[in-house]
């Protein structure tokens, strides 16, 4: 009994650390710390959970269920696809192993008796995030700062923040159904829910609003007398408000529909197996440029921008791993059919509530970039699996603990090397910004072998090489980067490299490509005008200068004013001549 109590306390404490890691952790020691630091923190806690499992449960009985087979097949397909495309890197292996370990721990070790405590921990963190966000909004108002991006708490933008609040809102609804809560505890839950809703409104995240609306509709249909009329009414309300949300930011909604169109064309070129892990970042902008070139009068022309995600996780999965990958992911959910039916009969289920909260984000945002979404999804699948029928039950054995130990021992050095390389990169990048670029270049070269899989590192390294005048080496590194990330910025950098190397034709081609990708941008046209002057093509320079002068300004800035002034001077100078 004492061993079981210690085991339960240990798991709850580590779950608390896991929840903190994927929501509040933000230490500026690496690039993109508000996402990556959360991932590294989660991986570390998951490894501790795996080691704890081996210690407290040296032998376990295995209940094999359909969902277990579905999860294993999905993970093996993803790893196999990355391996055969030579895109399997240490961070990918680390993340996949840790997600598999998390499923194993939740599936085998954390009992239902600890579930309510885990939900309470997550809800308390959601309340803290809500207060944090409200405080950020007040500060932004007092300092006259932009409000639409002010509320983010520990996340990189309002989308991740709204995701965390929406998921904890679904948990708060469940806590109200617990019968043994005292009155003051219920009042605290109501206060926290009100704070969460207020913070969501202030975040200006339409997807977050839709998510809370869907959870509320699900709760309404689950409480009291359940009838088809309630479901129909809830569906109508969701549809009407969805249309209203479209008109709140119509340009943003139109831009996402345009991205979906281009992404669908990309999927059509490799429908079954997809384009690989870097398929979207490597090829999407080419599809965008081709679409705009074929539709010069399109209303999407002024909405096109540098895009690195389709704002739809299902489309993103299809681009990377094809229809087969999507079907395998759906298969994981379908394998829980009996568990879904059981939970629906019970009334409001927090497991289904979390899925309902997450679903709108998968359609209109990028939740799977955040470890919180994976933690919640895997927790839901693992606990739902407990309600599904067992296919096969083994006797007590060491298979599960040994598997967890092997995976944890494999992932631990990967985590250490990955974090060390990221911290080192952040340090050399900061030193370069402080004027020590030439001094830190040998360290960049050392990191090159460790971070060659990272397109953002490759771009940063290529940009630093360009800055110190090593244009040939910069282009070599950038070529590797463009095999993983091919966008507006990489073409501008490539144009700069080729121009300084005297390859004017290639420089012109890259600038035209960058302009085709983002037609609203002024910099590619400006660089083209300067290039034509350098090449002695003064008529082309004048034509480009006139095109810049006639170009509509989407967002006014001092940089655009400077460009137009310089182009006006070129036109006046050629007129004088």
């Amino acid at each position: 009994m004492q061993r079981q109590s210690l085991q339960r306390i240990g798991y709850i404490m580590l779950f608390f650390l896991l929840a903190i890691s994927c929501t509040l952790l933000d230490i500026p020691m690496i690039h993109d710390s508000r996402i990556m630091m959360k991932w590294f923190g989660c991986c570390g806690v998951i490894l501790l959970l795996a080691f704890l499992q081996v210690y407290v449960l040296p032998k376990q009985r295995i209940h094999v269920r359909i969902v277990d087979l579905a999860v294993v097949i999905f993970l093996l397909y993803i790893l196999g696809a990355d391996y055969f495309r030579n895109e399997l890197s240490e961070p990918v292996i680390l993340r996949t192993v840790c997600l598999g370990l998390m499923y194993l721990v939740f599936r085998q070790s954390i009992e239902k008796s600890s579930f309510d405590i885990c939900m309470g921990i997550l809800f308390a963190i959601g309340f803290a995030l809500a207060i944090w966000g409200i405080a950020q909004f007040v500060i932004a108002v007092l300092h006259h700062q932009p409000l639409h991006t002010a509320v983010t708490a520990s996340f990189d933008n309002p989308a991740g923040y709204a995701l965390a609040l929406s998921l904890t809102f679904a948990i708060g609804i469940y806590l109200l159904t617990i019968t043994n809560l005292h009155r003051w505890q219920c009042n605290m839950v109501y206060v926290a829910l009100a704070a969460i809703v207020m913070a969501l409104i202030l975040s200006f995240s339409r997807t977050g609003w839709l998510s809370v609306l869907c959870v509320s509709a699900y709760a309404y249909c689950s409480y009291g007398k359940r009838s088809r009329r309630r479901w129909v009414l809830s569906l109508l309300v969701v549809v009407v408000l969805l249309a209203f949300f479209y008109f709140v930011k119509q340009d943003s909604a139109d831009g996402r529909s345009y991205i979906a169109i281009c992404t669908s064309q990309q999927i059509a070129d490799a429908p079954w197996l997809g384009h690989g892990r870097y398929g979207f970042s490597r090829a999407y902008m080419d599809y965008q440029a081709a679409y705009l070139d074929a539709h010069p009068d399109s209303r999407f022309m002024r909405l096109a921008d540098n895009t690195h995600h389709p704002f739809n996780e299902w489309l993103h999965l299809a681009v990377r791993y094809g229809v087969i990958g999507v079907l395998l992911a759906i298969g994981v959910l379908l394998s829980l059919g009996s568990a879904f039916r059981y939970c629906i009969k019970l009334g409001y289920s927090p497991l289904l509530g979390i899925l309902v909260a997450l679903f709108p984000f998968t359609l209109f945002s990028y939740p799977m970039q955040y470890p919180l979404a994976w933690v919640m999804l895997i927790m839901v699948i693992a606990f739902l699996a407990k309600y599904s029928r067992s296919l096969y039950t083994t006797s007590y054995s060491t298979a599960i603990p040994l598997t967890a130990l092997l995976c944890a021992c494999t992932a631990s050095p990967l985590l250490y090397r990955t974090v060390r390389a990221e911290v080192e990169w952040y340090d050399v990048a900061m030193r370069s910004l402080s004027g020590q670029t030439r001094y830190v270049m040998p360290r960049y070269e050392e990191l090159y072998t460790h971070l060659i899989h990272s397109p953002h590192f490759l771009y940063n390294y290529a940009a630093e090489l360009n800055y110190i005048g090593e244009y040939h080496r910069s282009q070599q590194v950038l070529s590797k980067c463009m095999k993983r990330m091919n966008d507006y910025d990489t073409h501008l950098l490539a144009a700069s490299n080729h121009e300084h190397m005297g390859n004017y034709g290639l420089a012109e081609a890259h600038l035209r490509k960058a302009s085709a990708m983002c037609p609203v941008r002024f910099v590619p046209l400006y660089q083209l005008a300067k290039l034509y002057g350098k090449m002695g093509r003064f008529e082309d320079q004048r034509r480009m200068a006139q095109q810049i002068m006639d170009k509509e300004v989407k967002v006014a800035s001092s940089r655009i004013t400077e460009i137009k002034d310089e182009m006006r001077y070129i036109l006046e100078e050629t007129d004088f001549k």
Side-chain angles (χ1 to χ4, degrees), residues 381-574:
I381 294 174
F383 276 100
L384 283 175
K386 299 176 185 293
Y387 296 107
S388 59
R389 185 172 60 87
S390 176
L391 295 177
Y392 178 71
T393 302
T394 68
S395 58
Y396 283 95
S397 72
T398 59
I400 292 294
L402 287 179
T403 301
L405 181 63
L406 177 63
C407 291
C409 290
T410 301
S412 296
L414 296 182
L415 178 62
Y416 172 75
R417 288 199 296 267
T418 303
V419 173
R420 182 178 179 181
E422 291 284 345
V423 171
E424 178 78 4
W425 174 27
Y426 181 79
D427 180 61
V428 297
M430 292 300 102
R431 290 178 181 273
S432 178
L433 287 175
S434 65
Q436 304 178 45
T437 303
R438 290 190 178 276
Y439 172 75
V440 299
M441 292 314 291
R443 294 172 65 186
Y444 263 111
E445 190 63 33
E446 292 174 5
L447 286 170
Y448 180 68
T449 56
H450 297 288
L451 295 175
I452 194 172
H453 59 274
S454 169
H456 297 96
F457 168 79
L458 293 174
Y459 177 80
N460 176 236
Y461 185 24
E464 299 291 357
L465 288 166
N466 174 276
Y467 178 76
I468 63 174
E470 295 188 19
Y471 304 111
H472 182 73
R473 176 58 176 159
S474 173
Q475 189 56 36
Q476 286 181 332
V477 175
L478 187 62
S479 296
K480 291 186 178 295
C481 171
M482 294 178 75
K483 293 178 181 179
R484 294 170 171 81
M485 183 177 70
N486 170 36
D487 62 4
Y488 169 86
D489 294 318
T490 57
H491 280 283
L492 285 184
L493 183 56
S496 175
N497 287 333
H498 285 298
E499 180 183 349
H500 285 94
M501 289 189 293
N503 303 325
Y504 295 142
L506 289 174
E508 180 184 5
H510 281 291
L511 288 173
R512 289 193 174 279
K513 188 71 169 183
S515 181
M517 288 176 170
C518 301
V520 296
R521 302 287 185 95
F522 279 77
V523 171
L525 301 181
Y526 170 69
Q527 296 291 350
L528 273 171
K530 293 181 66 177
L531 180 65
Y532 289 146
K534 192 174 184 178
M535 297 168 66
R537 294 166 55 180
F538 298 111
E539 188 60 35
D540 289 333
Q541 184 187 37
R542 175 181 171 81
R543 178 178 51 80
M544 190 58 61
Q546 189 61 55
Q547 183 178 340
I548 291 173
M549 293 301 298
D550 296 337
K551 189 175 180 63
E552 178 187 358
V553 177
K554 181 180 178 181
V555 180
S557 68
S558 59
R559 177 60 174 155
I560 293 177
T561 302
E562 292 173 0
I563 289 174
K564 285 199 174 245
D565 288 343
E566 191 171 340
M567 295 301 103
R568 186 179 296 108
Y569 174 77
I570 290 174
L571 292 172
E572 291 172 353
E573 186 180 38
T574 53

Side-chain angles (χ1 to χ4, degrees), residues 153-169:
S154 63
F155 291 86
D156 60 325
N157 62 44
Y161 179 66
L163 170 68
L165 293 184
S166 300
L167 293 173
T168 51
F169 178 84

Side-chain angles (χ1 to χ4, degrees), residues 129-145:
L129 286 171
I131 299 301
W132 189 350
I134 293 171
Q136 285 181 324
F137 184 84
V138 172
I139 293 172
V141 171
L142 294 177
H143 290 82
H144 305 287
Q145 297 172 348

